[in-house]
Amino acid sequence: MAISSDVRAPARAAGLSARGVVGTYAIAVGAALAIQGLAPPLAGTIACGVLVAVLLNDHAATGDGRLDPLVALALLPLAGILAVAMPIAEVPVALWPALVAVPMLLAIALAARRLGLSRAMLGLAAPAWRVQGRVAATGLPLGLAAYLVLRPGQLTPHEGALAVAGAAIAIGLFAGGVEELLMRGLLQPLLVRIDGGRGVAWTAVLSAALYAGTRSAAAIALAGGLSLLAGGVARRTRSIAGVSLGHGLLVAGALVVWPALLGTAAPGPARPLVPDRAPAPPSVPSLVERAPTPRPAPVARPHPAPAVRPVRVHRRAPVVAAPSPPVATTPPPVAQPTPAPRPVVRPAPRPAPRPVRRPAPKPPQTFDDSG
C-alpha cells in the first residue's frame, strides 16, 4: 500500500541513517525468529507478523533506495510464519520444506521485480563452473560431519533406495537451494551495498537465527559458521550456484542419506540449548533445515533367548452348566410346634317330623225333629 512521500518512518524521523535503520530492523528480525524458535511459537509468530507489515510499510513510505534491504528482511519473518501455519500433517515429512519454499520462491520473485534486480544481481550466473563444482563438492563431507555432530532424527523410513533418493532431492532442493537464493542471493548483496563487508556477517547472523527452532547450540553455531563461509564465497565469485548445491548436499546428507546408511552407529545426540518444558509437536521445517529435536540413541541390549512355548493340546471345552441361584444367607426360621387339630363338632341330626294324625271326621249328626 503506497503512502504519501511526505510521511517518514519513525526511525528516520529520529535521525538515524539508512545503515542504522537497516541494522535496527535486522536485530528485530533476528530477535523475533529466536523467540519463535525458543519460546512458545505464538509470541514469535505475532512479532513476525508485525515486522512484515512494518518493514514493507517503512520501505513504501520513505521511497529511499538505500532502504531496499527492508524488503528482503521482511521475507525472513514471512518464512517463520509459513513454517508455523502450514498443514504439515497432510504431507510426507520429506515434503515439509516444500510447503514453505514454494510460497517463498514467489515472494523472492516479486521482491526482485519490485527492487529491479536482475538474475546476475541475484547470483544466478556461474562464470567459473570448475570453482562452483569444487564448492558444491564440499557439501558431502560437511553433511557427514553435521550428521555425526548433531545426530538429527531420520526423516524417512527405510523404504528402499528410490524413496531415499527422492527424499534427498526434495529436501536438498527446497531446504538448501531456496534458502541460499533468499539469504545469499537477495539479502546479502543489499546489505553489502550499504554496509560493505559487514553485510556478510549480518547475513550469517540472520541465517543462524533461522535455526533457533532446532533448540541446539551446536546446530545454531554450525549454521552461523557455514553461512559466513558461504557468504564470503558467494561475494567473491558473484554466484550462488556452488553454495546452493553444497547446501543442498549438506542438508540432504545430514537428514536423509547418512541416517539411512549409518543408522545408529553415530555418537550420541547434541545437548539441546533449551530443554523442552512439555512434549512438543513435531518440529515444523522452515525455509531452512528445521531438523526434528534430536532423539537419544537407543541403548544396545542383548537379545534374550527365545522362550520355548508349550505344546497346546486342543480339547473340547466342557459344557458349563448355568450357575445355580445364590443361597440365602439369612438363618432359617425356627420351627414352631404345630397345634393339634380341634375336633369338628357336628350338630346332631334332627328327627324326622312325625305325621300329624288328624282325627277322623265325625259323621254328621242327624237331628230328628219328630219327637
Side-chain angles (χ1 to χ4, degrees):
M1 179 178 64
I3 303 178
S4 174
S5 59
D6 296 335
V7 180
R8 294 294 182 265
R12 296 300 303 278
L16 295 178
S17 62
R19 184 172 59 183
V21 172
V22 173
T24 302
Y25 278 129
I27 294 174
V29 169
L33 294 175
I35 292 174
Q36 188 185 38
L38 301 177
L42 179 59
T45 304
I46 294 175
C48 289
V50 173
L51 280 174
V52 171
V54 171
L55 288 168
L56 296 179
N57 182 68
D58 194 352
H59 181 267
T62 56
D64 191 347
R66 294 175 299 174
L67 297 182
D68 288 347
L70 299 186
V71 178
L73 285 174
L75 300 186
L76 299 184
L78 178 61
I81 296 173
L82 293 175
V84 176
M86 285 300 177
I88 60 175
E90 304 296 332
V91 298
V93 180
L95 295 180
W96 285 1
L99 296 178
V100 181
V102 173
M104 289 306 301
L105 281 175
L106 178 60
I108 293 171
L110 293 176
R113 182 179 180 181
R114 177 180 179 84
L115 300 177
L117 301 178
S118 62
R119 294 180 55 189
M121 294 179 181
L122 293 175
L124 297 179
W129 284 106
R130 293 183 179 180
V131 176
Q132 300 301 325
R134 288 194 294 267
V135 172
T138 59
L140 294 175
L142 289 177
L144 177 59
Y147 170 70
L148 295 177
V149 172
L150 303 178
R151 276 306 316 279
Q154 186 176 354
L155 296 184
T156 56
H158 296 282
E159 297 180 353
L162 186 60
V164 172
I169 293 174
I171 292 178
L173 178 62
F174 292 111
V178 179
E179 180 189 350
E180 292 300 323
L181 179 61
L182 172 61
M183 303 303 296
R184 252 65 63 182
L186 179 64
L187 179 60
Q188 178 174 295
L190 297 175
L191 294 179
V192 170
R193 183 187 302 176
I194 66 170
D195 205 8
R198 285 180 290 187
V200 178
W202 278 109
T203 307
V205 172
L206 293 174
S207 297
L210 288 174
Y211 287 81
T214 61
R215 296 189 177 187
S216 172
I220 296 174
L222 183 62
L226 294 178
S227 298
L228 189 62
L229 294 176
V233 173
R235 185 188 181 192
R236 188 178 301 110
T237 60
R238 298 182 180 181
S239 175
I240 64 169
V243 294
S244 298
L245 292 175
H247 192 168
L249 292 176
L250 188 155
V251 176
L255 298 182
V256 180
V257 178
W258 296 118
L261 295 178
L262 302 181
T264 60
R271 187 175 182 180
L273 180 64
V274 178
D276 293 333
R277 300 177 181 87
S283 58
V284 182
S286 69
L287 178 64
V288 298
E289 170 199 358
R290 285 288 185 96
T293 304
R295 300 179 181 177
V299 180
R301 299 179 180 178
H303 296 282
V308 180
R309 297 183 179 180
V311 180
R312 297 183 179 179
V313 180
H314 298 279
R315 297 179 180 178
R316 186 177 181 181
V319 180
V320 181
S324 58
V327 181
T329 57
T330 57
V334 180
Q336 300 291 339
T338 305
R342 296 179 181 181
V344 179
V345 179
R346 297 180 180 179
R350 296 179 181 182
R354 297 179 179 181
V356 180
R357 295 182 179 181
R358 295 179 181 182
K362 295 179 179 183
Q365 294 180 5
T366 306
F367 294 95
D368 188 4
D369 293 334
S370 60

